[in-house]
Amino acid sequence: MMNNILGIVNYDDASVKVQGLDNYRPIPSLSFLARYRLIDFAISNMTNSGIRHIQVYVKHKPRSVIEHLGSGRQYNINSKQGKLRILTGEEATQSEAYNHDITAFLQNMRFIEDAKQEYVMIMPSHMIYTVNLEEVYNHHLESKVDVTVLYKTVNNAHESFIGVDTLKLSDKKQVEEIEVNRGKYKNRHVSLAAYMMSKELFIHLIHLADNISSFYTLRDVLQEQAPLLNMVGYPVKGYVACINSLDEYYRVNMELTDYDMGKQLFNPDWPIHTRTSDSCPTQYTPDAKVKKSVIANGCYIEGTVINSVLGRGVVVKQGAIIENSIVLEGAVIGENVHVKRVVVDKSAQISKVKELVAEENKVLYVKRQDRV
């Protein structure tokens, strides 16, 4: 049954800007919680649900996404029964305003039209949650609607999910209006920018958006057509986060260092698949102290790590203290260095400056391969 669905991992929209980190890699391949990439959640939701034909659209710098996804074997995509295809814009665009999802869909239309599946499931990579898409598909067929849109009812919309679409729903969960969250209200139905619809309607919306405006995205055309379409919301339960800024990237990683909070997202019966890396276990010296942290393989820790996330191969030298920070793969925190509320990018070295402490409610970013 799920073989009738084409999975599409869509571009992240213009509201997604993870300052600093996205200078070196696209949003889908951002490191998350030491071992994952953001795109792992969307693809795992698809493959765990039985979707085996997936297209991934990458806006910029596709190398890291291509390397991470490979043939898709880590997501249990069998090349004889399924297909993982990574697609980018085929033609150069005159400006960034033209580089959006509708442009990419049009330039790769033959791959969409040639797909044998009758339905599409479209999801971005910057939304973090788990959902059984087979249940969404069954609901979509039973309700006989045009579009099913996934949403989460939240009580922190004044602080998080800024710039994300919110839904005005009727008593029957009919989408009456779509508007952007400006942070004015706490309680909102937040759209997860995940849509199920027929492939025929999807293709129609692509051409409609192109005819209306060269700057229109899928989000824009759905927002405009909402009153005319039979669009119904489908609530997602459990933990949901939106990684659309450096502050939210930091907050969500820190939040999930809490074991009880992590259990709301990670379920042994619904694994989040990722590309594995063969490396030795992390080594802790007798002086090492680690508390309430997520530590990847291959690290060497002589100092203190508290409430932090360390990627693969991070070195924490004697006397160093890491608090409430995210340190990405291969970074080195030198002797007697104290970092707090800092995001340290890949392969950076902090040794000369002994105190890197961000102001309260602020996050300090250290560039990739920088020497501080």
Side-chain angles (χ1 to χ4, degrees):
M1 180 175 67
M2 298 302 285
N3 286 332
N4 201 29
I5 300 175
L6 172 65
I8 292 178
V9 180
N10 196 9
Y11 276 7
D12 303 294
D13 61 56
S15 69
V16 181
K17 180 66 178 174
V18 184
Q19 299 87 344
L21 290 171
D22 59 8
N23 290 338
Y24 303 97
R25 75 280 279 172
I27 297 297
S29 60
L30 284 186
S31 174
F32 183 75
L33 213 62
R35 73 171 292 197
Y36 302 102
R37 305 293 180 98
L38 293 189
I39 197 172
D40 292 335
F41 291 84
I43 296 185
S44 294
N45 281 329
M46 291 179 179
T47 58
N48 287 345
S49 302
I51 297 174
R52 292 291 178 263
H53 290 81
I54 299 172
Q55 296 179 0
V56 176
Y57 288 81
V58 185
K59 195 172 189 178
H60 295 295
K61 305 179 181 72
R63 179 194 56 79
S64 59
V65 177
I66 293 170
E67 288 182 353
H68 181 71
L69 298 183
S71 65
R73 290 181 62 186
Q74 67 268 33
Y75 303 103
N76 296 323
I77 299 175
N78 186 314
S79 60
K80 292 185 178 180
Q81 299 175 354
K83 180 73 174 180
L84 177 66
R85 178 175 271 130
I86 303 169
L87 301 167
T88 60
E90 297 293 323
E91 302 171 8
T93 54
Q94 294 92 329
S95 74
E96 184 59 25
Y98 290 92
N99 188 14
H100 51 71
D101 54 3
I102 293 295
T103 302
F105 294 148
L106 286 168
Q107 293 174 357
N108 293 282
M109 182 56 72
R110 68 184 184 91
F111 296 114
I112 298 172
E113 292 177 336
D114 289 348
K116 297 178 181 179
Q117 291 72 32
E118 297 179 12
Y119 291 87
V120 294
M121 183 68 228
I122 306 154
M123 307 178 79
S125 61
H126 66 285
M127 294 288 189
I128 303 299
Y129 59 95
T130 59
V131 62
N132 188 334
L133 296 174
E134 185 174 359
E135 295 176 359
V136 177
Y137 181 53
N138 290 334
H139 179 270
H140 182 80
L141 295 181
E142 290 169 5
S143 56
K144 298 181 180 179
V145 297
D146 296 324
V147 180
T148 297
V149 53
L150 275 55
Y151 74 92
K152 174 69 175 179
T153 302
V154 303
N155 59 7
N156 64 337
H158 61 305
E159 297 174 335
S160 299
F161 303 98
I162 305 300
V164 175
D165 284 341
T166 60
L167 309 177
K168 181 181 178 182
L169 301 175
S170 70
D171 293 339
K172 296 182 179 180
K173 293 187 171 56
Q174 187 84 24
V175 178
E176 298 177 338
E177 191 176 341
I178 302 174
E179 57 185 21
V180 177
N181 177 31
R182 304 296 185 189
K184 293 182 179 180
Y185 307 99
K186 292 177 62 176
N187 300 303
R188 277 291 176 265
H189 302 306
V190 173
S191 168
L192 304 185
Y195 314 100
M196 180 167 286
M197 66 185 80
S198 70
K199 189 178 72 173
E200 181 182 4
L201 175 59
F202 178 53
I203 292 173
H204 168 73
L205 290 173
I206 292 170
H207 291 297
L208 179 62
D210 184 51
N211 289 333
I212 295 173
S213 169
S214 296
F215 288 177
Y216 256 39
T217 64
L218 180 63
R219 172 184 179 179
D220 293 327
V221 72
L222 282 169
Q223 186 175 31
E224 184 172 293
Q225 295 294 307
L228 305 176
L229 291 170
N230 186 7
M231 187 184 306
V232 170
Y234 183 93
V236 170
K237 300 176 182 178
Y239 184 90
V240 175
C242 173
I243 310 297
N244 62 347
S245 68
L246 182 64
D247 287 341
E248 281 300 285
Y249 175 81
Y250 173 82
R251 184 190 69 80
V252 174
N253 272 275
M254 292 296 97
E255 187 172 69
L256 291 172
T257 59
D258 182 273
Y259 181 74
D260 291 332
M261 188 66 72
K263 287 196 297 183
Q264 296 181 30
L265 177 63
F266 296 101
N267 183 343
D269 297 326
W270 196 265
I272 304 302
H273 304 287
T274 190
R275 179 170 175 257
T276 58
S277 177
D278 293 330
S279 57
C280 66
T282 289
Q283 300 179 63
Y284 302 90
T285 68
D287 294 329
K289 297 178 182 178
V290 178
K291 181 181 179 181
K292 198 184 175 185
S293 296
V294 178
I295 312 291
N297 290 344
C299 297
Y300 185 80
I301 301 176
E302 295 179 283
T304 300
V305 182
I306 301 171
N307 194 44
S308 295
V309 176
L310 271 58
R312 293 185 178 94
V314 169
V315 175
V316 183
K317 293 193 174 180
Q318 188 78 32
I321 301 174
I322 301 174
E323 295 182 85
N324 305 320
S325 295
I326 303 170
V327 184
L328 299 189
E329 180 181 352
V332 177
I333 309 300
E335 292 184 4
N336 301 314
V337 169
H338 179 207
V339 297
K340 187 174 183 179
R341 292 189 295 277
V342 179
V343 176
V344 182
D345 210 338
K346 187 175 179 180
S347 301
Q349 297 184 32
I350 303 175
S351 58
K352 301 298 183 183
V353 176
K354 299 301 182 182
E355 189 86 2
L356 271 183
V357 178
E359 297 177 18
E360 199 69 38
N361 299 321
K362 295 288 183 69
V363 182
L364 179 64
Y365 170 73
V366 176
K367 294 190 297 184
R368 181 173 178 171
Q369 296 181 327
D370 211 358
R371 293 175 180 269
V372 179

